[in-house]
Amino acid sequence: MVLYNLSSYNTDAFTLLGIPGLEQYHVWISIPFCLIYFVAIVGNSILLYLIAVEHSLHVPMFFFLSMLAITDLTLSTTCVPKMLTIFWLGPQKISFPGCLTQLFFLHYSFVLDSAVLLAMAFDRFVAICSPLRYTTILTPTTIVKIVVGLSFRSFCVFVPCVFLVNHLPFCRTHIIPHTYCEHIGVARLACADISVNIWYGLCVPIMTVITDVILIAVSYTLILHAIFQLPSRVARQKALGTCGSHVCAILMFYIPAFFSILAHRFGHNIPHTFHIMFANLYVIIPPALNPIVYGVKTKQIRGKVILLLFPKGSQ
């Protein structure tokens, strides 16, 4: 039996190549990515600022929205700065601890994003199906418990992945044909059996997210049933309007995610370049669009943004 000295194998840095096959276009690709990342940073920062300073926004719905903004900022900032460095300066090295850190926060943010969308669905369910009990159900203590529980769940889902990768021996190539470290992509470089990584990485996170999707679907089934029981058309439209931005956020998050998962598992004829490009877009597009969607479709946010950007014209 060959015994691997893990301490000697896992000290070397990895090299991130970027998007293999499109190296000559890296600088041009960086332009839209840089602009979209800037929109994500500014949009989510404005959202967080408004929710923090405006007392009228200190309600559960906007508290969960602020948590979504923080998670989106974590997701994009974990990957995009390093990605832009690769596009501008060529292949970049990343230390093994740095790779593990990026890997963890990437996947942790993804699972936490899903959990926050579930919490927001629960908020809309209580607001529409039990409006008279809204403030007694979603008390500050309950909200804190929900946030801590969801954060802890997301942490527990992906910490094992970090330990699994940390204990793999990397005695072959340390070159990663990607713009960031992700679990299976790094594990495939190991010179050992990675069956546990593959099965855990496939089953546990995906089943966690699928559970969130099922619970969100159940919530919205009950919400729609309650809405169409309302006697007034105006009341129905108002209730649907409060859910519109959340539904958009759900679609922007889950549709690309499941498309990417299915493409990786079954799209063997799809070029690897497409997979990498799509994975890059996924960590930046939803964080950039979420604050725009909420700014456009949520009356309270829209009014505060206009007042912030055009204080004289809004008077």
Side-chain angles (χ1 to χ4, degrees):
M1 180 182 293
V2 178
L3 298 177
Y4 294 105
N5 184 349
L6 298 179
S7 61
S8 65
Y9 282 116
N10 293 347
T11 55
D12 293 340
F14 289 102
T15 300
L16 295 167
L17 293 184
I19 308 177
L22 296 180
E23 290 86 355
Q24 66 270 35
Y25 303 111
H26 275 179
V27 174
W28 295 104
I29 294 172
S30 71
I31 296 173
F33 275 88
C34 188
L35 292 175
I36 297 171
Y37 181 57
F38 176 78
V39 170
I41 294 293
V42 172
N44 285 290
S45 298
I46 290 175
L47 207 56
L48 289 170
Y49 172 77
L50 290 175
I51 294 172
V53 302
E54 292 292 338
H55 184 73
S56 61
L57 301 180
H58 293 177
V59 295
M61 172 184 173
F62 294 109
F63 183 83
F64 290 130
L65 178 57
S66 66
M67 189 177 177
L68 181 68
I70 293 171
T71 308
D72 281 344
L73 284 173
T74 303
L75 176 64
S76 57
T77 303
T78 296
C79 301
V80 178
K82 191 71 174 180
M83 181 193 307
L84 292 176
T85 304
I86 296 168
F87 289 158
W88 292 334
L89 303 176
Q92 296 291 304
K93 290 188 177 296
I94 183 170
S95 66
F96 185 71
C99 190
L100 289 181
T101 302
Q102 187 182 56
L103 179 155
F104 170 75
F105 279 104
L106 167 69
H107 295 298
Y108 170 77
S109 302
F110 174 80
V111 176
L112 186 56
D113 243 334
S114 178
V116 174
L117 291 174
L118 174 61
M120 296 173 77
F122 176 68
D123 169 80
R124 292 298 83 204
F125 167 75
V126 176
I128 293 173
C129 298
S130 301
L132 299 179
R133 301 175 57 204
Y134 183 76
T135 54
T136 58
I137 293 175
L138 287 174
T139 62
T141 302
T142 302
I143 293 172
V144 170
K145 289 180 180 178
I146 290 173
V147 170
V148 172
L150 295 179
S151 301
F152 183 70
R153 186 199 72 163
S154 303
F155 179 83
C156 292
V157 166
F158 264 104
V159 162
C161 290
V162 176
F163 284 102
L164 288 172
V165 173
N166 188 48
H167 285 80
L168 288 174
F170 294 93
C171 51
R172 294 196 295 261
T173 180
H174 283 67
I175 296 175
I176 302 175
H178 210 309
T179 56
Y180 54 77
C181 297
E182 56 91 18
H183 176 217
I184 299 301
V186 175
R188 291 188 195 280
L189 302 179
C191 48
D193 182 28
I194 61 169
S195 300
V196 176
N197 296 73
I198 293 174
W199 282 108
Y200 186 92
L202 178 64
C203 296
V204 178
I206 291 178
M207 289 308 299
T208 303
V209 173
I210 288 176
T211 300
D212 292 344
V213 172
I214 292 171
L215 293 175
I216 290 172
V218 171
S219 297
Y220 268 95
T221 300
L222 297 173
I223 287 170
L224 291 174
H225 181 265
I227 288 175
F228 289 113
Q229 295 298 314
L230 295 173
S232 169
R233 181 180 177 183
V234 175
R236 290 196 294 268
Q237 290 178 340
K238 184 177 179 180
L240 286 171
T242 63
C243 300
S245 51
H246 182 231
V247 171
C248 290
I250 289 171
L251 295 177
M252 287 188 299
F253 179 79
Y254 286 114
I255 290 178
F258 285 113
F259 175 81
S260 180
I261 291 169
L262 292 174
H264 270 289
R265 301 303 168 190
F266 305 107
H268 302 297
N269 295 326
I270 299 176
H272 186 59
T273 301
F274 173 83
H275 287 296
I276 298 175
M277 180 66 80
F278 191 85
N280 291 335
L281 290 172
Y282 183 72
V283 299
I284 193 172
I285 294 294
L289 290 183
N290 279 337
I292 295 174
V293 168
Y294 275 94
V296 170
K297 297 187 71 65
T298 306
K299 184 178 179 181
Q300 299 98 314
I301 296 290
R302 184 171 65 247
K304 301 301 181 184
V305 170
I306 293 173
L307 187 63
L308 178 67
L309 298 179
F310 309 102
K312 294 182 180 181
S314 60
Q315 295 179 355

